[in-house]
Amino acid sequence: GTGGDNPVTGDTMVFENELFSPDFGQRVGISTGACTLSSATTWTCIVTLLFNLGQIMLEGKYFEDVESSVLAITGGTDFFLGATGAAMVIFPRGDGNIPIFEFRINLILTDFNAMTR
């Protein structure tokens, strides 16, 4: 991006991170995506959560100046085919050097045949 350590509107952040169970005991997948800064504290994001059973796609606004943001679940593959719902993204916590984002997923599966494939 053009803003260096201080992003400016239009800058894009691309990421890929490991996903862990809530107690950090087990690696359960990978999150990958891109967020574009659309205002001083608002990012527009497209995120894919990759699991052994398939993928969940998320899309929406992430607000830096609030404790959490809600992204729409826009679809899924394999076990998650037809997924809808929402994912809450909790503002990062961590040791200051490595932010830890928490995803809380409210998932609705509409294609129950996908579970038996």
Side-chain angles (χ1 to χ4, degrees), residues 81-94:
L81 188 65
T84 61
M88 180 180 293
V89 182
I90 308 299
F91 191 77
R93 57 187 171 82

Side-chain angles (χ1 to χ4, degrees), residues 52-68:
N52 286 339
L53 295 175
Q55 303 172 28
I56 299 172
M57 288 69 169
L58 310 175
E59 188 171 347
K61 298 279 188 182
Y62 174 76
F63 303 98
E64 287 183 351
D65 55 351
V66 296
E67 184 177 313
S68 63

Side-chain angles (χ1 to χ4, degrees), residues 17 92-101:
N17 301 297
R93 57 187 171 82
D95 66 6
N97 294 322
I98 302 173
I100 299 171
F101 288 88

Side-chain angles (χ1 to χ4, degrees), residues 19 28-32 47-58 73-84 105 107 109:
L19 292 172
V28 296
I30 296 172
S31 67
T32 183
V47 180
T48 301
L49 305 178
L50 302 140
F51 302 97
N52 286 339
L53 295 175
Q55 303 172 28
I56 299 172
M57 288 69 169
L58 310 175
I73 296 173
T74 57
T77 66
D78 301 319
F79 178 83
F80 304 108
L81 188 65
T84 61
I105 299 172
L107 180 67
L109 297 174

